[in-house]
Amino acid sequence: MATLVMSQAPVGGFSFENCKRNAVLEGEANKVGCSMPAARKTGTTICGVVFKDGVVLGADTRATEGMIVADKNCSKIHYISPNIYCCGAGTAADTEMTTQIISSNLELHALSTGRLPRVATANRMLKQMLFRYQGYIGAALVLGGVDCNGPHLYSIYPHGSTDKLPYVTMGSGSLAAMAVFEDRYKPDMEEDEAKQLVRDAIAAGIFNDLGSGSNIDLSVITKGKVDYIRPHDEANKKGVRTGDYKYKRGTTGVLTKLVTPLNLELVEETVHTMDTS
Amino acid sequence: MAAAASMMPYFAQQISSKNDLVPDWMGQEVSTGTTIMAVEYDGGVVIGADSRTTTGAYIANRVTDKLTPIHDRIFCCRSGSAADTQAIADVVTYQLGFHSIELDEPPLVETAANLFKASCYRYREELSAGILVAGWDRRKGGQVYCVPIGGMMVRQPVSIGGSGSSYIYGFMDSNYKPDLTKDQCLDLTAAALSLAMERDGSSGGVIRLASISESGVERKVILGNQLPKYSTH
């Protein structure tokens, strides 16, 4: 007699099976004394300042994986719209994808309104998305830009709270950078003053925080113009070796020389073209 | 960062992030440590708050504005998680604005308070938000409604909230009297907040005051060096 088998209809949505497996693996690993690989975080110092004609955003360029530098020259200043840029600290993948999603949505929104997007709009979109994920998206952002209402600067935390301030810092090096800002910030600075201040704040983070390092990237946003300066300051150039392990010809004396020619016959010649399009 | 870590007690280091490169504060949620206060007077309300937002031991924003406008004559004072209170305030602002347009009338303070209560009670397990709703409307004049963590809603003539409020319950019980004038309310609020900010580590910065009445909203800031002084500080 044939047995009837009730087949289960395919269930939609996310499958959490791998989460159980990961939990078991982590337990096994911890028993042996190992730990799971850490997500790559941008250790980071990022900051922004509002000056007379716009905003200056700054960032270091080190990305770390635990205690190892994964990328010596990564770009932490992300494009949101022609007049708005966003620096990201926290989990590298989260900052990258979050800024790309909001950039895409903002472009569609701008096409719908027919206007240049406003920084407050980008801020709302980012904070509502991050709040929805209750802090599980580890993206701490410094959002800055110039729109029809002037220059604006926001700091956005992973749980979705935002602060609108004249100067902000984020990342593991934020305390070092904030110290520089609290000392030297003045309202209505000139562009060069502001660039120097941001450069110095990031440098403080680079040299005093282990999670930040390498070079300083700057982005100067003014009405109608964006200067994406990468790198602005190569604070950590790779040193030039003073010595060399190669020896000059003639260092070793030659006693005898024997030359034996190998007569080889060309059998087949083929040419493979490389597709460089 | 290393210097800061050595000053903290040993047990704190163990519960903090395993990775030395990521400091404590990046793992902790941003909270408005806070002291907030609202007082009714005949013809309006006076509200006040400190200006400190902390993530762990770091002050993320020392000039926060915790007095958030919900409508023309209705404000809320936020305490608790910064993300939660900002999100709730945005939702209620939208709901109240929509309701007001439908009514073609300025909304009631009680309506705003009920909207806060609805959100805070429904999501009580997920949220950490203590809110004071205060404002003026034509029906009942100046009103203060307290919506603490958990989602209760009750009208009170004077209300305090936040972590710093614990230190000023005695001051409020002994110094508040009914039927104060607007200026007396402003002085009382400034004094109470100043005392709380002195004693509570999570409160500080500047004092932000606002008085709401039929004629509008008047905002004031009292900077650190202008705070009322007391014999112990």
Side-chain angles (χ1 to χ4, degrees):
Chain A
M1 192 116 104
T3 45
L4 271 171
V5 177
M6 263 287 269
S7 65
Q8 265 195 318
V11 179
F14 189 78
S15 162
F16 288 93
E17 289 309 301
N18 281 339
C19 297
K20 283 190 240 166
R21 176 205 71 177
N22 291 344
V24 169
L25 280 176
E26 190 162 3
E28 297 289 310
N30 286 336
K31 257 188 263 173
V32 196
C34 312
S35 58
M36 301 292 275
R40 197 216 290 189
K41 287 175 163 282
T42 45
T44 305
T45 309
I46 51 174
C47 67
V49 89
V50 174
F51 70 99
K52 202 169 72 166
D53 306 314
V55 303
V56 180
L57 301 175
D60 74 306
T61 60
R62 175 181 287 184
T64 51
E65 221 169 81
M67 292 301 272
I68 299 184
V69 175
D71 190 348
K72 284 184 279 194
N73 197 203
C74 77
S75 166
K76 301 185 190 179
I77 306 184
H78 309 286
Y79 168 89
I80 300 277
S81 78
N83 59 326
I84 303 171
Y85 277 72
C86 185
C87 311
T91 310
D94 288 346
T95 58
E96 190 72 44
M97 295 315 298
T98 304
T99 47
Q100 280 179 4
I101 289 171
I102 264 68
S103 171
S104 168
N105 289 346
L106 203 61
E107 185 172 346
L108 289 171
H109 187 263
L111 286 166
S112 168
T113 59
R115 296 176 164 90
L116 197 66
R118 302 188 190 188
V119 191
T121 315
N123 179 53
R124 262 303 158 100
M125 290 171 152
L126 284 162
K127 80 176 333 185
Q128 285 180 347
M129 180 182 163
L130 292 173
F131 183 76
R132 200 162 10 116
Y133 286 92
Q134 287 290 288
Y136 284 98
I137 293 188
L141 311 166
V142 167
L143 176 76
V146 179
D147 58 29
C148 57
N149 293 119
H152 303 280
L153 185 66
Y154 292 87
S155 67
I156 307 170
Y157 291 83
H159 284 265
S161 59
T162 65
D163 289 312
K164 184 175 193 309
L165 292 164
Y167 55 93
V168 295
T169 64
M170 290 285 235
S172 55
S174 67
L175 267 65
M178 186 50 96
V180 175
F181 276 161
E182 289 285 25
D183 184 31
R184 284 161 41 186
Y185 170 81
K186 296 187 318 279
D188 294 323
M189 285 183 287
E190 293 299 328
E191 180 175 324
D192 291 320
E193 237 184 306
K195 279 164 76 173
Q196 185 64 30
L197 180 63
V198 170
R199 184 249 154 231
D200 288 344
I202 300 293
I206 286 173
F207 294 116
N208 299 99
D209 172 47
L210 297 178
S212 310
S214 300
N215 314 124
I216 300 168
D217 287 350
L218 278 193
S219 180
V220 183
I221 309 170
T222 48
K223 194 174 167 63
K225 186 166 81 98
V226 173
D227 268 331
Y228 191 80
I229 313 169
R230 175 174 155 81
H232 168 70
D233 193 330
E234 291 214 49
N236 292 286
K237 276 208 187 55
K238 195 162 180 175
V240 178
R241 277 181 212 260
T242 50
D244 197 12
Y245 282 111
K246 282 210 185 71
Y247 292 94
K248 287 204 303 294
R249 258 180 195 278
T251 307
T252 308
V254 179
L255 296 177
T256 47
K257 199 156 110 175
L258 173 63
V259 179
T260 314
L262 282 172
N263 293 313
L264 298 169
E265 204 184 298
L266 181 63
V267 176
E268 195 192 322
E269 189 180 327
T270 53
V271 176
H272 288 282
T273 48
M274 195 164 74
D275 185 9
T276 51
S277 56
Chain B
M1 251 13 267
S6 65
M7 283 187 332
M8 293 195 300
Y10 181 66
F11 68 87
Q13 269 182 306
Q14 286 186 309
I15 53 176
S16 64
S17 152
K18 282 190 278 257
N19 187 350
D20 282 333
L21 294 179
V22 178
D24 265 345
W25 63 260
M26 278 203 69
Q28 298 199 14
E29 211 186 309
V30 176
S31 119
T32 44
T34 304
T35 316
I36 48 176
M37 179 165 157
V39 195
E40 287 176 14
Y41 68 89
D42 182 23
V45 293
V46 162
I47 54 175
D50 73 305
S51 71
R52 183 172 288 187
T53 314
T54 50
T55 35
Y58 179 66
I59 299 171
N61 187 351
R62 58 183 171 85
V63 286
T64 327
D65 185 7
K66 303 181 190 179
L67 307 175
T68 309
I70 303 296
H71 206 267
D72 295 341
R73 300 277 186 283
I74 306 175
F75 270 63
C76 77
C77 310
R78 302 179 291 110
S79 74
S81 154
D84 290 350
T85 54
Q86 282 182 13
I88 297 169
D90 286 344
V91 162
V92 172
T93 305
Y94 162 76
Q95 291 173 331
L96 199 66
F98 193 91
H99 168 74
S100 174
I101 287 176
E102 281 185 323
L103 238 54
D104 197 20
E105 237 183 61
L108 299 175
V109 187
E110 191 172 353
T111 313
N114 273 297
L115 287 170
F116 271 106
K117 184 224 7 227
S119 293
C120 291
Y121 183 70
R122 179 179 284 260
Y123 298 103
R124 57 182 298 166
E125 304 301 328
E126 287 86 28
L127 293 172
S128 171
I131 296 173
L132 297 179
V133 186
W136 179 92
D137 63 36
R138 242 175 45 137
R139 202 183 283 186
K140 296 189 189 165
Q143 297 144 76
V144 169
Y145 293 89
C146 178
V147 182
I149 293 177
M152 161 185 106
M153 196 257 304
V154 70
R155 181 180 173 187
Q156 292 178 307
V158 64
S159 193
I160 49 179
S163 58
S165 65
S166 326
Y167 304 98
I168 48 172
Y169 274 103
F171 177 81
M172 292 309 298
D173 288 340
S174 53
N175 287 70
Y176 173 75
K177 304 179 297 293
D179 302 319
L180 292 169
T181 66
K182 181 176 91 162
D183 289 317
Q184 284 175 317
C185 285
L186 284 164
D187 289 336
L188 179 70
T189 309
L193 289 173
S194 172
L195 289 165
M197 281 156 66
E198 187 61 31
R199 288 294 176 179
D200 179 32
S202 314
S203 303
V206 305
I207 294 181
R208 294 198 187 273
L209 293 169
S211 75
I212 310 167
S213 62
E214 180 173 9
S215 50
V217 177
E218 261 176 64
R219 299 202 62 152
K220 228 166 53 133
V221 180
I222 303 180
L223 298 178
N225 55 354
Q226 299 157 348
L227 288 172
K229 290 191 175 26
Y230 295 92
S231 57
T232 47
H233 66 94

